[in-house]
Amino acid sequence: MLNSTLHQSLQQWLGTAIGQYLLEQERAFYDSIVSDIFGYNAVQISFPEFDFLRSNRMPFRFVAGLEKGSSAYAHPHLLPIGSRSIDLVLLPHTLEFFPNPHQILREVHRILIPEGKIVISGFNPFSSWGLHQHITTSKNQFPWCGNFIALPRMKDWLELLGLETNTGKLGCYIPPCGSEKWISRLRFMEAAGDRWWPIGGGVYFLQAVKHERGMRILKPCWENPPKTRSAPATTQVDRQINSDAVGKGVGNNVKLK
């Protein structure tokens, strides 16, 4: 749970140039990926300040969390949501700022329908952002107080739960500098980093799909059933011939006189 001090730190950090830069990058990614995911129910867990489901077209979308502004007041460790009832779950940095991220992933796996999708964003510890976390003196401030999870470890956690990663991306290659002037000067690093240093992005994004063994989707058969060949019609003469042949103990090869 984000306590009041950390929540206030989050609001202050989002007012900075680097905070706005991060929010811009994350909104662009979420808008592009959730717009093509269809279903009926979608939930974002924690951080109700950010409406990352805004471009999704599912009829029922809500935010579950303990923060003020959440649609459903719920702890991410124990979600009051029915099993196999959600088509899409978003975890925007949720696993880094709540204890026991494994239990959160287990709850997400439980509420997802088969073939449901989960989208995760997290800070990359092997980047300039991860380096800044180690050298900064503001370790109690957002986001440096979070438990950054490495991308390979996150993929292992998903695989253990039967969640197959099918899409991934890194972004925020600009170092976490506090000046808008330097952020503008370093904008070229987004395109250059994505091409020349793809593992050095400050934030990673993952999309995974829940698979269950033994499932088979049955589709209706819209094709017309094959036509059966009807037996040839017999005439009165044919029936009389067959009857005479049977009476004489011969086969069907009978000649008319």
Side-chain angles (χ1 to χ4, degrees), residues 26 35 77 105 139 152 189 215 225 241:
E26 298 215 359
S35 62
H77 295 165
L105 284 176
K139 295 186 181 296
M189 294 184 66
M215 290 200 58
I241 292 175

Side-chain angles (χ1 to χ4, degrees), residues 2 5 13 20 28 42 56 61 76 80 83 86 89 93 99 102-103 112 124 127 130 175 183 217 231 240 250 252:
L2 295 179
T5 303
W13 189 75
Q20 287 298 308
N56 186 259
R61 307 183 301 272
S83 300
I86 302 297
V89 177
H93 300 283
H102 303 86
Q103 177 59 27
L112 274 176
N124 180 15
S127 66
I183 292 176
I217 300 176
Q240 184 62 40
V250 298
N252 294 330

Side-chain angles (χ1 to χ4, degrees), residues 102 105-106 109 156-163 210-211:
H102 303 86
L105 284 176
R106 283 192 288 266
H109 182 272
D156 289 342
W157 290 358
L158 296 174
E159 184 178 358
L160 288 173
L161 288 172
L163 296 164
K210 175 183 177 180
H211 293 308

Side-chain angles (χ1 to χ4, degrees), residues 80-216:
I81 301 174
S83 300
R84 300 185 178 187
S85 61
I86 302 297
D87 301 272
L88 171 63
V89 177
L90 302 189
L91 294 175
H93 300 283
T94 309
L95 302 176
E96 299 164 315
F97 295 95
F98 284 85
N100 199 354
H102 303 86
Q103 177 59 27
I104 297 177
L105 284 176
R106 283 192 288 266
E107 276 292 276
V108 170
H109 182 272
R110 179 186 66 82
I111 67 175
L112 274 176
I113 66 169
E115 303 305 314
K117 296 179 175 61
I118 174 178
V119 183
I120 301 172
S121 59
F123 290 105
N124 180 15
F126 304 115
S127 66
S128 59
W129 291 65
L131 177 62
H132 185 83
Q133 184 190 33
H134 290 287
I135 63 177
T136 185
T137 58
S138 305
K139 295 186 181 296
N140 295 325
Q141 302 296 317
F142 186 92
W144 319 119
C145 59
N147 180 27
F148 294 2
I149 304 170
L151 181 57
R153 178 179 295 181
M154 182 66 72
K155 289 183 177 180
D156 289 342
W157 290 358
L158 296 174
E159 184 178 358
L160 288 173
L161 288 172
L163 296 164
E164 180 186 359
T165 304
N166 59 1
T167 302
K169 177 180 174 61
L170 283 92
C172 297
Y173 291 92
I174 297 177
C177 51
S179 171
E180 176 64 34
K181 178 180 178 180
W182 278 105
I183 292 176
S184 300
R185 288 181 176 180
L186 297 175
R187 285 280 180 178
F188 73 92
M189 294 184 66
E190 288 300 325
D194 198 28
R195 179 177 181 182
W196 301 107
W197 194 30
I199 63 172
V203 177
Y204 59 79
F205 305 93
L206 289 177
Q207 177 185 329
V209 182
K210 175 183 177 180
H211 293 308
E212 288 192 357
R213 295 182 179 180
M215 290 200 58
R216 181 180 179 185

